[in-house]
Structures are given as C-alpha cells and as structure tokens.
Amino acid sequence: MDRVTLSFNHLLELKQLSLGAFMPLDGFMTKEEFISVANSMRLPSGLVFTLPVILGVSEHEFSSIKNNTKTALLYKNKLKGYIYIKDKYSLNLKKYLPIIFGTNDTNHPGIKMYNESSKYFIGGKVEHLDERKKVTKFYNTPKEIKKIIKKNKLKTVAGFQTRNIPHKAHEYLHRLALEKVDGLLIQPLTGTKKPGDFSSNVVLSSYNYLIKNYYPKDKVILTSLETFMRYAGPREAVFHAIVRRNYGCTHFIVGRDHAGVSNYYGKYDAQKLCKKFESEIKIKILSLKGPYFCKKCNLIVTENNCKHSFSKKYRVDISGTMIRSFLKNKRLLDERYIREDIIKSIINKKAFIKNE
C-alpha cells in the first residue's frame, strides 16, 4: 500500500474530517472542490464552505501514488488512517490565496503558512484510526458533545470560539449569550497557533477555572477544537460557525474582528459574512458588539449602551493582544480587565507558544 506522511496540521484535519466536525466534507478536497470554495465559498454541490481543507504531499509521494487507491496516512511513522484517493493535482496557490485571505501580503500568517507547504495535493474520503483508550479531559467528539447537551436538557446552545485566556470582555459576551440561549459551548482552539499566542494548556485550564468558579452548573460546556488557525477573518468565522453547528450548537457568537490578525479585516466584516450565510448553514449568528471598559461609566460596555465609544480618554479595548502584552512585559493587570485569580491560576505554567 502506498504511504503519505502527514504534518501535524494534516493529522488534526484527518481527525476532524473523520469525526464529522467539518461536514459536509468527509475527506480532503479535490481540485474541483478547492477551486469552487476559493472562488465562491461553496462546494460544487452548492453547499456553503468557506476555507480549503487540503492534503499537501511531497513530489516523490505525488509521483508514486495513483487515483482510486487506498493510501496509508502516517504521522511520525505511525499509521493514523487512510485516504481513498479520488484526485491528485497541483495548484498555483499564489493565484488563489489572495482570494481566500483578502490580501496578497505574504506576511499574512495564513498566506505564509500555505506558501511554505507543498504545491502537490491529493483529495478523497478519509478514515481515521481513533487511538483514544478513554475520554480525554477537554477533548470530546461532536457526538459526545451532543449527548452532553441532551443530558443537560439544553434546547439552545451558543458556541464561543477563542484562542486566548478569558478576560472581562469575554465574560460579558458569555453572560449576554446566556440571557438569550439555554447553554454555552466554550471551545478554545488547541491546534497550531502563531508564536506568541497563549498555549492551549493555559487557555483550557483558565477557562476551566472560570467555569467552575463563576458560571452556573450544567449550562456551560468546555471542550477543545483540535484544528489550526488560518487567521482568515470573515471566511474563518463562517467556517467556525459550521463546525459549531456540527457540534450541536444552535447559535454562534461572532464579536469584533473574529479570526482576524493585525488590520487585515474590518472590525465587523466577519459578522456581515456570517449573517449572509446564516439561514443556509443552519445556525443563528449572535452578532455582538465588541465589549470594552469605559473609565467614565466604570463598566464593561459596548457601543450600543455607552456614549463614550469614540473617546480615547475613557475607552479601553480589552483583547487577547492586550493581555498577552501585559503578561509578557510583566506589567500589572487591572482587575477591571481580567480577574486576578485567572492570572494566578496560570502562574508557573508555560503561557505562550515560543518562536520557532
């Protein structure tokens, strides 16, 4: 049997595809599927899907494997699954990446990631060999999460995506969502992130502390999403909504600059695109204004309920970037922005992903 060696990101995609987290996809994309998604944000079937899920291979692997064959997928020389090859193809990524990411800047972390990958690809349905002996803490399959939702009798559940530790602006969004729905699925992304981001262990442990100490029992579920950040802004927001629908969510929270990086995307562009596809992807979008701390009101507020939103004197935007900066520079964080006990809960842990 032919073999293909997976990168860590490919391994994560294999898991999610086989679990149904990326439905309607059940395998890595063919060339037709990739081009259709890049150009129209739809699969050839017409179903909405906004980001590529592709399997790059080496030139040697590409030349040896054949269409319509079952090929073994290995990670660190261990068999992890199979792909039933429907298509093998090459791509001129430089043509499509600006369409997907909305910029041709090669410094964009998503574009940089794909530019450093292969130009040869294989597509087809996959099968993952699940090696879990028992349910791992903070890792659940879509089926398992749906069972928890049913057990807790939650008719409506909002999904919350994050890659940062919880701060007061996040808490504001959580509590606002819980006024609108029965439950909340907090699902931090625990795959590959960029250097300088919070480590997955710290993000999960800090959220676990917050939920156990401050949120109502059986209304908030914590689990991880093992995939990688593309930093694709609006397109990635729709992708995240589709994934949360597959995990059993009825609603999805989209705040300020969802899945954005630097200043590549408008503050609420992600909300607009998610709303456009809301009925088709069958999950309601909670378009929430980005909370900030107002020194005049002395509260966490939004543009909808505070008159000082344009005041540099009073407005303090709370973000993961802000919290990371304070912690890296060992500056004291104001408890108006993040709970002191949350910070204490991560002390002595490896907080950040190191530069490679």
Side-chain angles (χ1 to χ4, degrees):
M1 186 182 294
D2 289 328
R3 298 180 173 191
V4 166
T5 298
L6 300 173
S7 68
F8 180 63
N9 282 350
H10 291 146
L11 176 64
L12 298 181
E13 303 289 66
L14 170 64
K15 289 181 181 180
Q16 299 304 334
L17 286 165
S18 64
L19 292 172
F22 291 175
M23 288 191 307
L25 284 186
D26 61 5
F28 290 103
M29 289 179 176
T30 63
K31 187 172 187 176
E32 180 189 17
E33 288 171 332
F34 172 88
I35 292 174
S36 179
V37 165
N39 287 331
S40 69
M41 295 186 278
R42 296 178 183 274
L43 293 164
S45 64
L47 293 173
V48 174
F49 208 87
T50 51
L51 289 179
V53 180
I54 49 180
L55 176 53
V57 298
S58 69
E59 188 173 359
H60 172 72
E61 290 170 334
F62 185 79
S63 62
S64 65
I65 57 182
K66 297 178 178 62
N67 278 331
N68 303 312
T69 59
K70 181 180 179 180
T71 297
L73 299 174
L74 281 72
Y75 178 70
K76 293 185 176 180
N77 295 317
K78 291 184 178 180
L79 180 65
K80 296 296 182 180
Y82 303 95
I83 180 170
Y84 299 84
I85 299 176
K86 184 179 180 181
D87 191 18
K88 51 181 285 190
Y89 55 98
S90 60
L91 281 174
N92 178 9
L93 289 175
K94 290 182 180 179
K95 175 181 177 181
Y96 295 104
L97 292 181
I99 301 172
I100 294 167
F101 290 98
T103 178
N104 57 11
D105 185 355
T106 55
N107 291 316
H108 184 290
I111 289 181
K112 187 177 181 181
M113 175 185 65
Y114 280 107
N115 278 338
E116 292 172 353
S117 66
S118 174
K119 64 178 180 179
Y120 301 103
F121 303 90
I122 55 175
K125 187 175 180 178
V126 297
E127 175 187 346
H128 176 237
L129 303 178
D130 192 347
E131 300 168 332
R132 288 192 306 161
K133 305 299 182 187
K134 60 182 180 178
V135 175
T136 308
K137 191 176 184 181
F138 306 136
Y139 170 67
N140 304 91
T141 68
K143 285 184 179 179
E144 290 165 352
I145 290 298
K146 288 175 183 176
K147 284 182 181 178
I148 294 171
I149 290 171
K150 186 176 181 179
K151 178 186 174 184
N152 292 356
K153 298 179 181 179
L154 304 174
K155 292 185 178 180
T156 54
V157 177
F160 181 76
Q161 154 81 27
T162 184
R163 66 179 193 267
N164 293 305
I165 65 174
H167 47 67
K168 290 289 184 71
H170 283 165
E171 288 191 45
Y172 182 97
L173 294 177
H174 299 158
R175 295 178 190 280
L176 193 60
L178 285 170
E179 293 293 334
K180 299 174 181 289
V181 296
D182 300 327
L184 183 66
L185 177 68
I186 297 177
Q187 195 173 29
L189 186 143
T190 59
T192 307
K193 294 179 278 188
K194 60 184 175 62
D197 277 354
F198 284 107
S199 68
S200 297
N201 177 51
V202 158
V203 173
L204 286 166
S205 64
S206 58
Y207 264 103
N208 185 49
Y209 180 91
L210 176 71
I211 292 166
K212 286 178 68 176
N213 289 280
Y214 294 101
Y215 287 168
K217 186 181 178 182
D218 297 334
K219 282 186 171 288
V220 183
I221 304 165
L222 176 65
T223 192
S224 62
L225 178 63
E226 292 187 321
T227 189
F228 58 94
M229 283 297 300
R230 283 81 165 172
Y231 303 97
R235 279 187 180 236
E236 193 160 3
V238 177
F239 170 72
H240 286 161
I242 291 170
V243 171
R244 277 25 180 252
R245 176 204 65 197
N246 294 335
Y247 270 85
C249 292
T250 57
H251 295 68
F252 184 60
I253 299 169
V254 182
R256 179 181 61 210
D257 195 25
H258 186 107
V261 61
S262 298
N263 296 308
Y264 289 104
Y265 310 107
K267 194 160 60 170
Y268 295 112
D269 286 354
Q271 291 183 355
K272 294 174 185 175
L273 191 63
C274 284
K275 277 292 187 182
K276 176 182 176 181
F277 291 124
E278 181 181 51
S279 61
E280 287 189 76
I281 62 176
K282 295 180 172 57
I283 186 168
K284 292 187 180 298
I285 303 302
L286 297 178
S287 299
L288 304 179
K289 293 292 185 182
Y292 59 91
F293 185 84
C294 176
K295 292 181 179 179
K296 181 70 172 178
C297 297
N298 199 31
L299 289 170
I300 300 288
V301 295
T302 73
E303 295 162 16
N304 287 342
N305 54 37
C306 172
K307 67 181 289 185
H308 312 110
S309 61
F310 296 104
S311 170
K312 292 182 179 179
K313 181 179 178 181
Y314 297 129
R315 178 172 177 148
V316 179
D317 286 311
I318 309 170
S319 66
T321 302
M322 170 198 179
I323 303 298
R324 288 194 302 270
S325 176
F326 270 79
L327 289 175
K328 285 177 181 178
N329 294 305
K330 297 182 179 179
R331 292 162 60 192
L332 289 175
L333 271 161
D334 195 318
E335 196 166 9
R336 293 175 299 178
Y337 311 148
I338 187 169
R339 293 181 184 276
E340 184 179 355
D341 50 352
I342 292 291
I343 297 299
K344 287 180 178 178
S345 75
I346 66 171
I347 288 174
N348 299 323
K349 295 181 180 178
K350 294 180 180 178
F352 303 108
I353 295 170
K354 293 181 180 179
N355 288 300
E356 299 176 337

